[in-house]
mmCIF file of all heavy atoms in Angstrom:
data_model
loop_
_atom_site.group_PDB
_atom_site.id
_atom_site.type_symbol
_atom_site.label_atom_id
_atom_site.label_comp_id
_atom_site.label_asym_id
_atom_site.label_seq_id
_atom_site.Cartn_x
_atom_site.Cartn_y
_atom_site.Cartn_z
ATOM 1 N N ASP O 1403 0.858 -0.350 13.498
ATOM 2 C CA ASP O 1403 1.678 -1.222 12.656
ATOM 3 C C ASP O 1403 0.997 -1.391 11.306
ATOM 4 O O ASP O 1403 0.250 -2.347 11.078
ATOM 5 C CB ASP O 1403 1.866 -2.572 13.343
ATOM 6 C CG ASP O 1403 2.778 -3.490 12.547
ATOM 7 O OD1 ASP O 1403 3.563 -2.978 11.731
ATOM 8 O OD2 ASP O 1403 2.688 -4.719 12.746
ATOM 9 N N LEU O 1404 1.241 -0.450 10.410
ATOM 10 C CA LEU O 1404 0.624 -0.468 9.090
ATOM 11 C C LEU O 1404 1.688 -0.699 8.025
ATOM 12 O O LEU O 1404 2.793 -0.160 8.105
ATOM 13 C CB LEU O 1404 -0.087 0.861 8.810
ATOM 14 C CG LEU O 1404 -1.188 1.276 9.789
ATOM 15 C CD1 LEU O 1404 -1.694 2.670 9.449
ATOM 16 C CD2 LEU O 1404 -2.331 0.278 9.761
ATOM 17 N N GLN O 1405 1.329 -1.469 7.042
ATOM 18 C CA GLN O 1405 2.256 -1.740 5.946
ATOM 19 C C GLN O 1405 2.067 -0.671 4.876
ATOM 20 O O GLN O 1405 1.457 -0.888 3.838
ATOM 21 C CB GLN O 1405 2.005 -3.135 5.387
ATOM 22 C CG GLN O 1405 2.189 -4.255 6.392
ATOM 23 C CD GLN O 1405 3.592 -4.281 6.973
ATOM 24 O OE1 GLN O 1405 4.589 -4.216 6.243
ATOM 25 N NE2 GLN O 1405 3.691 -4.368 8.289
ATOM 26 N N LEU O 1406 2.614 0.509 5.153
ATOM 27 C CA LEU O 1406 2.475 1.647 4.249
ATOM 28 C C LEU O 1406 3.847 2.082 3.750
ATOM 29 O O LEU O 1406 4.762 2.323 4.546
ATOM 30 C CB LEU O 1406 1.800 2.827 4.956
ATOM 31 C CG LEU O 1406 0.310 2.710 5.277
ATOM 32 C CD1 LEU O 1406 -0.142 3.915 6.085
ATOM 33 C CD2 LEU O 1406 -0.512 2.595 3.998
ATOM 34 N N GLU O 1407 3.969 2.189 2.451
ATOM 35 C CA GLU O 1407 5.168 2.776 1.860
ATOM 36 C C GLU O 1407 4.889 4.258 1.628
ATOM 37 O O GLU O 1407 4.034 4.620 0.812
ATOM 38 C CB GLU O 1407 5.507 2.091 0.541
ATOM 39 C CG GLU O 1407 6.718 2.692 -0.160
ATOM 40 C CD GLU O 1407 6.953 2.123 -1.546
ATOM 41 O OE1 GLU O 1407 6.280 1.132 -1.912
ATOM 42 O OE2 GLU O 1407 7.801 2.685 -2.273
ATOM 43 N N LYS O 1408 5.588 5.120 2.364
ATOM 44 C CA LYS O 1408 5.350 6.563 2.259
ATOM 45 C C LYS O 1408 6.232 7.165 1.163
ATOM 46 O O LYS O 1408 7.441 6.922 1.116
ATOM 47 C CB LYS O 1408 5.628 7.261 3.590
ATOM 48 C CG LYS O 1408 4.777 6.771 4.744
ATOM 49 C CD LYS O 1408 5.015 7.638 5.976
ATOM 50 C CE LYS O 1408 4.294 7.078 7.183
ATOM 51 N NZ LYS O 1408 4.966 5.865 7.717
ATOM 52 N N ILE O 1409 5.596 7.948 0.304
ATOM 53 C CA ILE O 1409 6.302 8.597 -0.797
ATOM 54 C C ILE O 1409 6.079 10.105 -0.663
ATOM 55 O O ILE O 1409 4.952 10.586 -0.784
ATOM 56 C CB ILE O 1409 5.786 8.099 -2.159
ATOM 57 C CG1 ILE O 1409 6.005 6.589 -2.276
ATOM 58 C CG2 ILE O 1409 6.450 8.851 -3.304
ATOM 59 C CD1 ILE O 1409 5.360 5.960 -3.482
ATOM 60 N N SER O 1410 7.132 10.837 -0.378
ATOM 61 C CA SER O 1410 7.015 12.279 -0.156
ATOM 62 C C SER O 1410 7.126 13.042 -1.466
ATOM 63 O O SER O 1410 7.983 12.734 -2.312
ATOM 64 C CB SER O 1410 8.108 12.765 0.806
ATOM 65 O OG SER O 1410 7.943 12.182 2.080
ATOM 66 N N LEU O 1411 6.247 14.046 -1.617
ATOM 67 C CA LEU O 1411 6.260 14.893 -2.801
ATOM 68 C C LEU O 1411 6.184 16.352 -2.372
ATOM 69 O O LEU O 1411 5.445 16.700 -1.439
ATOM 70 C CB LEU O 1411 5.060 14.596 -3.699
ATOM 71 C CG LEU O 1411 5.095 13.353 -4.575
ATOM 72 C CD1 LEU O 1411 3.774 13.206 -5.306
ATOM 73 C CD2 LEU O 1411 6.238 13.429 -5.573
ATOM 74 N N GLU O 1412 6.916 17.193 -3.056
ATOM 75 C CA GLU O 1412 6.806 18.635 -2.828
ATOM 76 C C GLU O 1412 5.899 19.221 -3.904
ATOM 77 O O GLU O 1412 6.215 19.194 -5.089
ATOM 78 C CB GLU O 1412 8.165 19.322 -2.884
ATOM 79 C CG GLU O 1412 8.052 20.821 -2.606
ATOM 80 C CD GLU O 1412 9.357 21.583 -2.794
ATOM 81 O OE1 GLU O 1412 10.340 20.956 -3.257
ATOM 82 O OE2 GLU O 1412 9.384 22.783 -2.491
ATOM 83 N N LEU O 1413 4.757 19.751 -3.480
ATOM 84 C CA LEU O 1413 3.822 20.410 -4.383
ATOM 85 C C LEU O 1413 3.375 21.717 -3.754
ATOM 86 O O LEU O 1413 3.433 21.889 -2.543
ATOM 87 C CB LEU O 1413 2.589 19.532 -4.631
ATOM 88 C CG LEU O 1413 2.782 18.108 -5.137
ATOM 89 C CD1 LEU O 1413 1.436 17.414 -5.280
ATOM 90 C CD2 LEU O 1413 3.511 18.110 -6.471
#
Side-chain angles (χ1 to χ4, degrees):
D1403 183 22
L1404 302 174
Q1405 300 301 312
L1406 289 175
E1407 178 187 351
K1408 300 187 186 74
I1409 300 172
S1410 296
L1411 283 176
E1412 182 186 6
L1413 305 179

